Amino acid sequence: MAQQSGAAFTRRTFIGVAGGVAASTLLAACSRAGNGGGGGSASGGKLKFWNMPWGTPAFLAEDKRIVAGWKYKDFTATYQQIQWANFTTQFATGASSNTGPAVSSGGGTTSVLYAHDGKIQYLDDLIAGKWTDNGIKDDFLPGLLDALKTDKGTTGVPYNLDVRPAWYNKTLFDQYGLQVPTTWDEYKTVCATLKTKGIYGLGLGSGSGNNIGFHAITGFLINNGGGWFNDKQEPDADTDRNEEALDFFLELVRSGYSDPAASSYTNANVYTQWQNHKMAYGWDTAGLSVNVTGAVQKEVAVATPLTAPHGDKGFLYFPNPMMTWNNTPSKDANLDLLTYYYQNMKTLWTKKTGIGLPPLKSISDDPAIAGDPNNKAIIDNWVTPGVFKTWGAPGNTGIFYNVANTVDGTAPTYTFAQKVLTPTDKTSAKDLLTQFQTTLEGLMKK
């Protein structure tokens, strides 16, 4: 799934919640660019706009229509859809040969990776200037703009959100008289009751291509005020809060609340277990309700965020970015195209083309999104209150270069999750975290 290199990206699969169809997502500094410079005096030409297939074929048609309507002075845009199967190669080749896009979307770490290589146009001046004046800045859901801001500038702006909320089966909860848990203790009690019915309350997997297991483990660390990195962007795995959270997670596993085969489950295996009423609570993407089939689609619902023992709330999400590139006929035109796109992209959601959760309040408030109770629950109870955090937690609000090298889809993260989901009698949270700390330190790059 993920290439193990400094220029690697993670491809994540989730459901396009707006349209109810499967969609593939993903997931050195250059001087800060303002609204000019870097080709800003060019008189005209074609800007390359690259985007991935975030939804159904209807997404491609609508996205091409939006981009075709843009014009700035004598500039227009060409459109190219980049397929997931080879998108890492195309971006890497385009960046190294200066044949890449002027404006593009990307996976969760794309913008920070290429900013590190000096390829990305920073967007701080645009956001502080034009986007403050025209209201786009204030239209973003709370906290999102900080997620892609490094110590050298804002590398991109959130385009669609890949989130990890908790889900539960309403029908099974009603059948067994269960209340949706709000604390760790309540959650453990729910798991214990479900176990007596032959149902798992820690529903997830960590098999081939399925990184939900590691995402959920990370989410529990964040939920307890922990995470993988300190405020110096250094690995900091072996902390008291992390150990407390991982101890709790291991207790759930050892108590039989997770499927014994979870460490080998693909996404499809997990969905089958939900469909067979073998899982009734767990963590997944925003599109679980449309990735399962049959009656279960209407039975599952987004749960309430859990409050950890010290009063913390939190879990993991990935803000997939839109970004502008330094290799362009005109940086002014780049920023104008990006602005135009954000002012006109709403129909990608209102026409239900399959794209993921929107970053703007004006879109999330539209009945096309807010009319779905699960979408609304995620936006209102998880996104807006700031429950979701990035990989950079607890020391950082945003992501940074070494996130991609260490925790975002790397092979050691699968190994770690599988060890947690298959503990031996001697497995301890302390030992796992100490070992993983050493692994993370070895993956760090300059």
Side-chain angles (χ1 to χ4, degrees), residues 15-271:
I15 291 299
V17 296
V21 230
S24 294
T25 81
L26 207 44
L27 52 14
C30 57
S31 60
R32 179 175 300 181
N35 290 350
S41 61
S43 60
K46 298 284 188 180
L47 266 63
K48 296 180 182 179
F49 183 95
W50 286 9
N51 210 354
M52 271 74 85
W54 294 105
T56 66
F59 170 83
L60 175 59
E62 183 62 14
D63 205 37
K64 290 176 71 173
R65 183 196 68 78
I66 293 169
V67 174
W70 173 76
K71 185 174 182 181
Y72 173 76
K73 296 181 179 179
D74 291 329
F75 288 98
T76 56
T78 62
Y79 188 100
Q80 184 174 352
Q81 186 176 77
I82 307 299
Q83 298 301 319
W84 290 115
N86 61 353
F87 89 103
T88 55
T89 300
Q90 286 195 256
F91 271 96
T93 300
S96 63
S97 64
N98 289 326
T99 58
V103 179
S104 78
S105 68
T109 57
T110 309
S111 65
V112 296
L113 284 171
Y114 282 111
H116 182 269
D117 294 335
K119 301 294 184 178
I120 295 297
Q121 178 183 10
Y122 290 111
L123 298 174
D124 301 83
D125 291 344
L126 174 68
I127 294 168
K130 180 183 286 188
W131 280 22
T132 296
D133 295 339
N134 64 19
I136 295 178
K137 177 184 177 182
D138 289 339
D139 197 19
F140 277 90
L141 289 163
L144 293 190
L145 285 175
D146 291 336
L148 298 168
K149 187 172 185 177
T150 69
D151 56 356
K152 292 184 171 59
T154 301
T155 64
V157 287
Y159 175 46
N160 64 71
L161 309 180
D162 187 10
V163 298
R164 297 293 178 268
W167 290 83
Y168 72 105
N169 187 301
K170 296 178 293 184
T171 300
L172 294 177
F173 268 55
D174 289 344
Q175 180 177 341
Y176 299 120
L178 296 172
Q179 298 295 315
V180 179
T182 61
T183 67
W184 284 14
D185 284 343
E186 291 176 5
Y187 171 50
K188 189 164 59 174
T189 299
V190 164
C191 287
T193 301
L194 290 172
K195 182 183 177 181
T196 66
K197 311 300 179 183
I199 302 169
Y200 300 111
L202 182 58
L204 42 76
S206 189
S208 177
N210 184 358
N211 45 24
I212 300 293
F214 185 70
H215 293 170
I217 294 166
T218 301
F220 267 92
L221 305 189
I222 293 172
N223 192 177
N224 200 40
W228 298 121
F229 297 97
N230 61 27
D231 59 3
K232 296 179 181 179
Q233 300 180 359
E234 300 167 337
D236 196 17
D238 187 14
T239 66
D240 290 344
R241 289 294 186 98
N242 283 353
E243 186 176 346
E244 182 180 33
L246 192 57
D247 268 333
F248 179 76
F249 200 97
L250 287 168
E251 180 185 356
L252 298 175
V253 175
R254 287 195 171 105
S255 298
Y257 302 155
S258 69
D259 192 316
S263 66
S264 66
Y265 275 174
T266 63
N267 296 96
N269 297 145
V270 172
Y271 300 142

Side-chain angles (χ1 to χ4, degrees), residues 8 18 27 37 52 96 103 129 146 184 206-207 258 260-261 281 285 332 357 359 374 383 422-423 428 434:
L27 52 14
M52 271 74 85
S96 63
V103 179
D146 291 336
W184 284 14
S206 189
S258 69
Y281 192 103
T285 69
D332 285 346
L357 287 170
N374 291 320
V383 178
T422 57
S428 74
T434 299

